[in-house]
Amino acid sequence: MYHYNDFDEAFVRTRVAQFRSQVGRRIDGSLTEDEFKPLRLMNGLYLQLHAYMLRVAVPYGTLNSKQMRQLAMIADRWDKGYGHFTTRQNIQYNWPELRDVPDMLDALADVGMHAIQTSGNTIRNVTADHFAGAAADEVEDPRPYAELLRQWSTDHPEFQFLPRKFKIAVTGAEADRAVIRAHDIGLQVRRVDGKIGFRVLVGGGLGRTPMIGKVLTDFLPVEDLLPYCEAIVSVYNVLGRRDNKYKARIKITVHETGLDEIRARVEERFAAIRPAFDEAAMEILDDIKAQFALPAFRNAETDGFEAARLANPAFRAWTDTNLTPHRAEGYAIVSVSIKKHGATPGDASSDQMRVLADLAQTYGHDELRISHEQNVILPHVHKSDLPAVYAALRDADLATANIGLVSDIIACPGMDYCALATARSIPIAQQIATRFEELKLEHEVGPLKIKISGCINACGHHHVGHIGILGLDRAGVENYQITLGGDGTEDATIGTRTGPGFSADDILPAIERLVLGYLDLREDASETFLQAYRRLGMEPFKAKLYPPKEEQDAA
C-alpha cells in the first residue's frame, strides 16, 4: 500500500497546525461559527445533532494494522470507544470535543492519515473496489490509479470551491463493487487489445434526484487519466449551478446540458490542457504501483480448512457467506461483518478494531479494507488460517455469517446523530436484522440488499437497494417509503417507489410481508429477490406489501 513521502508528511502537518490555530480562535471567540464553518469543513469536521463529528479519510478503503490500531486509540482517547465506518470508505467519530480535534488530526498524521477533503464542495475521498488487489476477476488493481487521483485532487487550487461536492470511484473488474455508476465520475479499468485504460462514466449520483452515470468515453488511455478528469471537473466548475444547491451536482449539469454537449466541452478542454501534462504523472504512477506490489503469498495445504468446514456447521455457514474467491491459489478474501444482529450497522468498538489489526498482521499480510457496505475486509488470508481467524472473530463478536443477506443492512446514522436527518435509520435496521434472525430465514431468503437512509440525501444508498427504505418527516411523524428493484452493481438501477409510506411501528411488518412474499413468488431457491422482481415486476410484490386491511388485521 502507499506510504506517505516527505512532501505528504509536511503537507498534512502544516494543515494540522493551521487548523489548530483556527480552532483556538473559535474557542476564544475570535471566529464566529459562521466564519469557522468553512474552515472546519475543509478539515472534515461537521457540527451534528448533538456534537461535532470528525470524518477521517480511508483512501480507496485501504488500511494497515498500525493505522487500524491508531483509529482504535483515537476512539478510546477522544471519543466514546468506537468508530462508524461509512459508505464512502471513511470512519467517523461522533463525539469529539472541539478542543481535541487538532490532537486527533496529529495522531492521524502519525500513521499517514488525515481528514482533508472529507467534506466541503471539493473532490472527496476517492473510493475503490474493496476487493482491489485480491479479487479473482480483477483486470488490474485500481488502487494505484485511485492514489494518483488522490494526489492530483488534494488541495487542487481550481477545485476547492466547486458548485457542490464531487465524488470519484474506481473499480478494476467487470463486476462493479464500487457503485461507480452512482458517482460524479466512475472509472472502470479495462484491457482492450492488450492495453489498459478506463471506461469513464459521468453524472451519476443519488440524493434528491437519483441518476445513473452515463458513459462519456468507452476507453481512455491510462496516460490521459489526469487531464481527462481535470477537463471533466473544469467543465462542471464552469457550468454547474450555484443558484440552487439542490441542482448543483454534476448529474443535473449533465441532464440539463445534455451528454453530447458535455462530451464536446470536455474534449475541447482536454485538448487544451493535455500538453501541460508531461510524463511526470506516469513516472509518479509507476512509483505508486511499486508500492502496491502483491504480498509474498505462501504455498500451504488447505486440508485443515476443509476438515474444519466438515466438523463445525457454524464455521461452514460463515465460510459460505463471508468468503470470496481470491486471485491466489489457496487464499480467500474474508469479509468481516460489522452487522451483528441488533447492532448499529458500521459501528466497530476500539477492541474490535484491535482484533482486526492483530488478524491482519498475523494472518492477512498486514492489509485491511473498508467496504462501502460498512464492513471490514481481510483481503489476503490463506485458507489454512481461516479456522484460527474465525475463532478470533467469534471471540470478538465479529463472526456473524450474514454478508449479502437480509441483516447485512447499509444504514446512515439518521436522526440519532445527523442534523440533516428527518427520521431514524439505526433502530429500523436493528429491528429488521433482529426479526429475521428470530425467524431463522436469512439463509433461506438468500442474497438481498436492504439499504436505509434517514433523509433525502441518501447516505444509506436506499435508491440502489433491492429493498430501499427512506425515512421522512410527515407532519412531525416518521414515515418510511419503500422502493424496490434498485441495484448498485454493473446493472445499476434506481429503485421504484411502491406507494404510501409506513409509520415507524409498521415498517418492520411491511418488510416482513415483502420478504416472506418473495419466498412465495420465486420460482425456486436459486432465484434471488432481485431476479424475481425483475421477472415479475412491481405488482405481485406490491400486493404482498399492501394486503387488504382484513388480511393485515388477521395477521
Side-chain angles (χ1 to χ4, degrees), residues 183-203:
H183 281 74
D184 300 289
I185 293 177
L187 300 168
Q188 179 193 350
V189 181
R190 304 184 68 209
R191 181 179 286 111
V192 177
D193 297 330
K195 184 176 175 62
I196 291 292
F198 304 89
R199 174 178 287 134
V200 181
L201 298 102
V202 67

Side-chain angles (χ1 to χ4, degrees), residues 108-177:
L108 289 167
D110 288 342
V111 293
M113 298 184 73
H114 60 77
I116 297 167
Q117 292 183 203
T118 59
S119 60
N121 293 337
T122 185
I123 298 173
R124 300 288 185 89
N125 182 32
V126 179
T127 59
D129 181 356
H130 44 272
F131 295 159
D137 63 346
E138 191 172 73
V139 173
E140 188 173 294
D141 188 342
R143 292 176 302 159
Y145 305 110
E147 172 59 28
L148 184 67
L149 289 163
R150 184 196 69 81
Q151 294 187 20
W152 159 78
S153 63
T154 300
D155 221 27
H156 193 300
E158 187 181 343
F159 303 143
Q160 293 306 298
F161 299 97
L162 295 170
R164 198 71 173 87
K165 58 188 175 182
F166 201 93
K167 301 176 181 179
I168 302 174
V170 194
T171 187
E174 284 290 334
D176 182 5
R177 292 178 288 264

Side-chain angles (χ1 to χ4, degrees), residues 398-428:
L398 289 169
T400 305
N402 68 340
I403 295 295
L405 303 183
V406 173
S407 62
D408 185 14
I409 298 170
I410 288 178
C412 72
M415 210 160 58
D416 288 300
Y417 296 99
C418 182
L420 300 177
T422 49
R424 294 168 297 167
S425 299
I426 293 170
I428 305 304

Side-chain angles (χ1 to χ4, degrees), residues 2-15 109 112-114 116 147 150-151 154 288 291:
Y2 181 76
H3 296 279
Y4 277 13
N5 58 29
D6 291 343
F7 174 85
D8 297 320
E9 170 75 13
F11 173 77
V12 172
R13 294 292 184 184
T14 299
R15 284 292 294 267
M113 298 184 73
H114 60 77
I116 297 167
E147 172 59 28
R150 184 196 69 81
Q151 294 187 20
T154 300
I288 292 171
Q291 298 193 55

Side-chain angles (χ1 to χ4, degrees), residues 111 230 278 345 350 402 415 489:
V111 293
E230 179 146 328
D278 55 21
S350 57
N402 68 340
M415 210 160 58
T489 71

Side-chain angles (χ1 to χ4, degrees), residues 41-329:
L41 288 177
M42 290 174 67
N43 293 278
L45 187 64
Y46 287 77
L47 185 56
Q48 294 284 72
L49 195 60
H50 307 294
Y52 284 102
M53 178 271 283
L54 181 65
R55 178 181 294 153
V56 176
V58 183
Y60 38 88
T62 294
L63 289 166
N64 60 28
S65 60
K66 183 178 180 180
Q67 291 171 325
M68 183 66 94
R69 289 193 187 95
Q70 192 78 336
L71 295 179
M73 184 280 290
I74 290 169
D76 279 337
R77 185 169 178 181
W78 292 298
D79 206 274
K80 293 189 176 183
Y82 73 96
H84 176 74
F85 293 113
T86 79
T87 55
R88 291 290 303 158
Q89 296 180 311
N90 298 310
I91 184 170
Q92 295 182 174
Y93 295 103
N94 289 313
W95 301 100
E97 296 286 344
L98 178 58
R99 65 177 181 273
D100 294 329
V101 173
D103 290 336
M104 297 171 75
L105 295 176
D106 257 334
L108 289 167
D110 288 342
V111 293
M113 298 184 73
H114 60 77
I116 297 167
Q117 292 183 203
T118 59
S119 60
N121 293 337
T122 185
I123 298 173
R124 300 288 185 89
N125 182 32
V126 179
T127 59
D129 181 356
H130 44 272
F131 295 159
D137 63 346
E138 191 172 73
V139 173
E140 188 173 294
D141 188 342
R143 292 176 302 159
Y145 305 110
E147 172 59 28
L148 184 67
L149 289 163
R150 184 196 69 81
Q151 294 187 20
W152 159 78
S153 63
T154 300
D155 221 27
H156 193 300
E158 187 181 343
F159 303 143
Q160 293 306 298
F161 299 97
L162 295 170
R164 198 71 173 87
K165 58 188 175 182
F166 201 93
K167 301 176 181 179
I168 302 174
V170 194
T171 187
E174 284 290 334
D176 182 5
R177 292 178 288 264
V179 205
I180 64 170
R181 289 156 180 82
H183 281 74
D184 300 289
I185 293 177
L187 300 168
Q188 179 193 350
V189 181
R190 304 184 68 209
R191 181 179 286 111
V192 177
D193 297 330
K195 184 176 175 62
I196 291 292
F198 304 89
R199 174 178 287 134
V200 181
L201 298 102
V202 67
L206 302 179
R208 186 175 298 269
T209 311
M211 294 184 181
I212 298 300
K214 300 173 177 63
V215 176
L216 198 60
T217 181
D218 207 48
F219 188 81
L220 178 75
V222 168
E223 56 269 23
D224 292 339
L225 176 61
L226 291 189
Y228 199 80
C229 286
E230 179 146 328
I232 293 171
V233 186
S234 294
V235 168
Y236 165 59
N237 202 20
V238 171
L239 294 182
R241 294 180 61 171
R242 288 178 165 87
D243 62 320
N244 185 337
K245 71 176 182 178
Y246 302 120
K247 296 184 178 182
R249 296 291 294 272
I250 194 174
K251 61 188 177 184
I252 304 298
T253 306
V254 173
H255 177 72
E256 292 184 340
T257 308
L259 182 64
D260 290 341
E261 177 65 16
I262 292 291
R263 183 183 290 114
R265 287 176 179 255
V266 168
E267 294 291 347
E268 180 182 10
R269 177 64 176 161
F270 171 72
I273 65 176
R274 180 65 182 89
F277 287 78
D278 55 21
E279 295 303 312
M282 292 301 97
E283 293 171 4
I284 293 170
L285 179 60
D286 288 340
D287 290 341
I288 292 171
K289 283 186 174 183
Q291 298 193 55
F292 286 91
L294 290 174
F297 296 129
R298 61 188 175 90
N299 293 318
E301 297 295 328
T302 60
D303 295 349
F305 166 69
E306 298 299 341
R309 275 178 49 84
L310 291 173
N312 184 344
F315 176 66
R316 183 168 64 250
W318 178 80
T319 63
D320 286 343
T321 55
N322 292 42
L323 300 186
T324 302
H326 196 281
R327 65 192 300 167
E329 186 176 356

